[in-house]
Amino acid sequence: MSPREFAYEVTKRLQEAGFEAFWAGGCVRDQLLGKSPKDYDVATSATPTQIATVFGERKTLELGVAFGVITVIGTKQSGNIEVATFRCDSDYSDGRRPDSVEYSTPEMDAQRRDFTINGLFFDPLREQIVDFVDGQTDLEKGLVKAIGDPAQRIAEDKLRMLRAVRFAANLDFQLDPETKHTIKKHASEIVIVSVERIAVELNRMLVNEHRRRAVELLIETDLLGAILPELADWQENATQKEQVLAHLAALASPEFAVALAALMQKSVTPREFGKLAKRLKLANHVTDTGTWVLKNAATLSQATELPWSDIQPLLIQPACPVAVGFLEAQGGAEAAVSFCRERLEWAAERLNPAPLLDGNVLKNLGIQAGPVFKRILDETRNAQLNGEIVTQEEAITLAHQLSSS
Ligand code: ATP
Ligand code: MG
């Protein structure tokens, strides 16, 4: 059973048990836009206890029960579905999450959602859209507009500011002028939101094909400097800004680390990038990849001019292919990019041949362990890579020369 068929089945079972049940939110929006929804959410008049009774305790999980959400377990193929009781969220005293939830009507459940395009329901049995918030009009207009009073909705949950920008950019929609104006007014308050949630939004904007537009909207709404203070004065340098935006736009399906590195490249050193990534609590591999790209892109851009022994150690690193993608998008290093791409295709033993010498060989030659040791190993390795020596005998001769010099 596909996720869609399972979502249909779950809705049908609830309706047959006498409850109201709809598909809700993102899946309705995506379907109306002709995109296939990532996942389906069901909203219903049944309470969590009633939902558990309809599907059986063993087919349900109570992970989100405090928010009136029950997970209905599907198959590996269909995945699970979250079924939420119609609710209204009340009293956001912290600007992050509701203090309590109360079960309510479909209309009130639509009203508590963030944007009109996200406030739609769909009854899959009757094939009918249920629209309490004029979401269909805004979908047709291509508009991201807060439901109700933007200032109040943003005061409740500051994350909605970033969500608004993400939906506008990723869907290639406009931000409703009043919503946009209100975001700008409150942009500095985004720092109340946890860095993890901010990072999730930033990630989703930067890996999307519309990442340039996302950054432009973040600038226009003053959110960019609020979430990345390293870029606070960035807008003053128009040439630099344009270079970075063009580079961002040219990245082909970048991972988050690479897009973030492109965004930050003119404003931070590799080490500062590492600090920023820590602050945003990014996964280690994101931090490492981004730092590596910033540290080594310039060297890679000279791949055709520098000795092979400078380039080869970079090409054997796992982050190298994405760094080459970064360079390609930057433009102006076409020869280096082709050179790296070609050599990245080389078989392992050609790209990274076994060293002619190792520590044991040096010891047997009577060379004392110490700083010299490493220098000899490095220099014989470089000579090997650069084709100056080919056999172990030549390497040993060179090692003797180096140890007596
Ligand atoms: P996508 O999953 O593609 O990001 P989505 O619309 O499904 O889009 P989710 O974050 O999965 O977004 O949330 C599902 C629905 O829950 C939204 O469509 C919206 O109706 C509601 N929602 C989510 N987050 C918020 C929020 N911070 N404030 C109000 N409503 C929200
Ligand atoms: Mg979703």
Side-chain angles (χ1 to χ4, degrees):
M1 198 183 289
S2 70
R4 188 181 179 85
E5 285 162 345
F6 185 47
Y8 183 94
E9 210 45 46
V10 167
T11 313
K12 186 165 164 238
R13 293 266 300 271
L14 286 163
Q15 290 192 5
E16 282 171 356
F19 300 104
E20 277 184 285
F22 304 119
W23 294 355
C27 62
V28 183
R29 177 198 69 221
D30 288 346
Q31 168 177 298
L32 288 172
L33 289 171
K35 302 183 177 183
S36 82
K38 278 201 319 286
D39 45 34
Y40 292 81
D41 294 315
V42 171
T44 180
S45 60
T47 63
T49 317
Q50 290 168 328
I51 300 167
T53 308
V54 170
F55 296 99
E57 298 285 348
R58 286 167 49 209
K59 291 274 185 218
T60 50
L61 297 171
E62 302 205 337
L63 302 170
V65 75
F67 292 97
V69 182
I70 293 279
T71 304
V72 181
I73 302 170
T75 60
K76 199 170 167 193
Q77 214 192 11
S78 75
N80 299 341
I81 290 220
E82 298 206 326
V83 180
T85 308
F86 297 133
R87 65 176 203 250
C88 48
D89 300 332
S90 41
D91 301 333
Y92 287 79
S93 51
D94 65 356
R96 286 184 289 208
R97 63 183 86 76
D99 301 333
S100 62
V101 302
E102 225 171 284
Y103 301 137
S104 72
T105 60
E107 181 162 7
M108 288 175 83
D109 188 79
Q111 302 291 346
R112 68 144 181 112
R113 294 171 185 271
D114 46 8
F115 309 110
T116 60
I117 57 167
N118 289 348
L120 291 161
F121 296 120
F122 179 69
D123 181 336
L125 284 95
R126 296 180 183 77
E127 298 196 354
Q128 225 167 50
I129 294 165
V130 181
D131 182 0
F132 297 106
V133 294
D134 267 343
Q136 282 179 102
T137 320
D138 291 337
L139 259 187
E140 276 156 28
K141 286 198 230 166
L143 207 57
V144 176
K145 183 175 173 187
I147 294 174
D149 172 26
Q152 187 197 332
R153 304 314 309 284
I154 287 168
E156 288 170 356
D157 179 358
K158 318 283 184 192
L159 184 73
R160 289 174 186 155
M161 297 193 279
L162 280 178
R163 284 175 59 88
V165 169
R166 164 163 65 90
F167 286 117
N170 291 9
L171 297 172
D172 201 13
F173 276 23
Q174 296 298 315
L175 270 177
D176 161 68
E178 200 196 336
T179 300
K180 186 171 178 180
H181 173 78
T182 312
I183 293 174
K184 192 167 168 145
K185 211 164 132 190
H186 295 277
S188 64
E189 297 162 26
I190 192 66
V191 292
I192 292 177
V193 175
S194 74
V195 287
E196 288 92 340
R197 295 176 80 200
I198 291 176
V200 165
E201 292 301 323
L202 191 59
N203 185 332
R204 296 190 64 180
M205 289 185 233
L206 289 182
V207 299
N208 186 276
E209 57 174 325
H210 300 294
R211 68 193 78 85
R212 175 182 174 133
R213 174 111 194 292
V215 173
E216 285 170 339
L217 285 174
L218 289 174
I219 295 173
E220 290 168 25
T221 52
D222 288 347
L223 282 165
L224 189 69
I227 58 173
L228 296 166
E230 294 83 354
L231 299 178
D233 56 2
W234 195 52
Q235 304 153 55
E236 286 155 28
N237 190 336
T239 322
Q240 189 178 77
K241 181 172 105 182
E242 179 48 37
Q243 279 171 356
V244 170
L245 289 174
H247 188 179
L248 264 182
L251 291 169
S253 312
E255 52 185 89
F256 180 38
V258 174
L260 187 61
L263 178 63
M264 304 309 302
Q265 60 184 310
K266 312 261 188 196
S267 313
V268 296
T269 62
R271 179 197 281 273
E272 288 165 345
F273 182 89
K275 277 201 213 152
L276 172 157
K278 279 230 168 66
R279 188 185 80 229
L280 292 177
K281 300 193 182 155
L282 304 184
N284 286 339
H285 76 273
V286 177
T287 311
D288 294 348
T289 303
T291 307
W292 198 92
V293 168
L294 290 180
K295 201 165 153 186
N296 296 295
T299 309
L300 287 171
S301 74
Q302 301 178 65
T304 51
E305 292 132 52
L306 291 171
W308 176 233
S309 58
D310 285 359
I311 299 303
Q312 187 271 357
L314 300 182
L315 289 197
I316 60 174
Q317 295 301 313
C320 194
V322 298
V324 174
F326 174 98
L327 263 189
E328 183 176 40
Q330 195 169 42
E334 287 74 16
V337 168
S338 335
F339 178 90
C340 292
R341 287 257 159 84
E342 190 203 312
R343 297 218 169 182
L344 282 169
E345 292 293 311
W346 278 10
E349 61 280 10
R350 188 172 176 207
L351 180 63
N352 194 20
L356 294 171
L357 288 185
D358 60 24
N360 282 330
V361 179
L362 288 196
K363 267 186 217 148
N364 292 339
L365 294 174
I367 297 171
Q368 300 293 321
V372 162
F373 217 73
K374 177 162 188 325
R375 210 193 81 212
I376 294 174
L377 287 177
D378 287 349
E379 293 204 13
T380 50
R381 175 63 170 168
N382 290 348
Q384 175 193 3
L385 288 172
N386 293 335
E388 292 152 16
I389 56 174
V390 178
T391 64
Q392 194 177 52
E393 278 125 59
E394 290 171 319
I396 289 172
T397 310
L398 178 59
H400 278 307
Q401 286 168 7
L402 289 166
S403 70
S404 57
S405 69

